[in-house]
Amino acid sequence: LEEPKFLDLQTVNRGNVVVLKWLFVFGLKKKKARYQFPGVSWISFNEEKLITSHNDYWDACELISLFKPMNYPINWIKKIISKLPRED
C-alpha cells in the first residue's frame, strides 16, 4: 500500500470503552488511483488504562467493490437491493 492513512477520525468515550469512526485511504504502487473505505474500531481498557480488547468493523463489500473484476457482482447486488421497496 502507498500512503495508507486514517482520516475523519471521530471518537466517543464511554467509561472504559473508546469507539473510533474512521475512513481508511490508500493507494496501490502501480496505480494512480486512491481508494477508501469506512470503518469503526471498538477499544476496551482495564483499570490500569491498558487495552484489553480491540475490534475493527468494516464492510468487506466496500473494500472488494473497489477492485475489478470483483466489483461487478458486488455492484450488481447493490443495484438490485437499492431498487427494493423500503419499509418505513
Side-chain angles (χ1 to χ4, degrees), residues 27-38:
L28 297 176
K29 292 190 180 198
K30 295 187 178 179
K31 296 188 178 206
K32 292 184 179 183
R34 301 288 296 164
Y35 303 97
Q36 64 183 32
F37 64 92

Side-chain angles (χ1 to χ4, degrees), residues 38-60:
V40 174
S41 297
W42 188 283
I43 305 168
S44 299
F45 297 86
N46 64 15
E47 295 77 26
E48 290 84 35
K49 307 276 189 228
L50 299 174
I51 295 173
T52 56
S53 68
H54 175 177
N55 295 297
D56 293 321
Y57 301 96
W58 46 277
D59 185 350

Side-chain angles (χ1 to χ4, degrees), residues 3-73:
E3 298 181 34
K5 57 183 122 185
F6 291 95
L7 300 176
D8 300 331
L9 286 175
Q10 297 175 14
T11 60
V12 175
N13 298 321
R14 296 288 169 126
N16 65 337
V17 174
V18 173
V19 179
L20 299 167
K21 181 180 174 189
W22 43 263
L23 182 66
F24 186 64
V25 179
F26 63 97
L28 297 176
K29 292 190 180 198
K30 295 187 178 179
K31 296 188 178 206
K32 292 184 179 183
R34 301 288 296 164
Y35 303 97
Q36 64 183 32
F37 64 92
V40 174
S41 297
W42 188 283
I43 305 168
S44 299
F45 297 86
N46 64 15
E47 295 77 26
E48 290 84 35
K49 307 276 189 228
L50 299 174
I51 295 173
T52 56
S53 68
H54 175 177
N55 295 297
D56 293 321
Y57 301 96
W58 46 277
D59 185 350
C61 286
E62 290 291 326
L63 179 59
I64 292 169
S65 68
L66 297 174
F67 303 101
K68 295 178 183 175
M70 295 178 289
N71 66 339
Y72 297 121

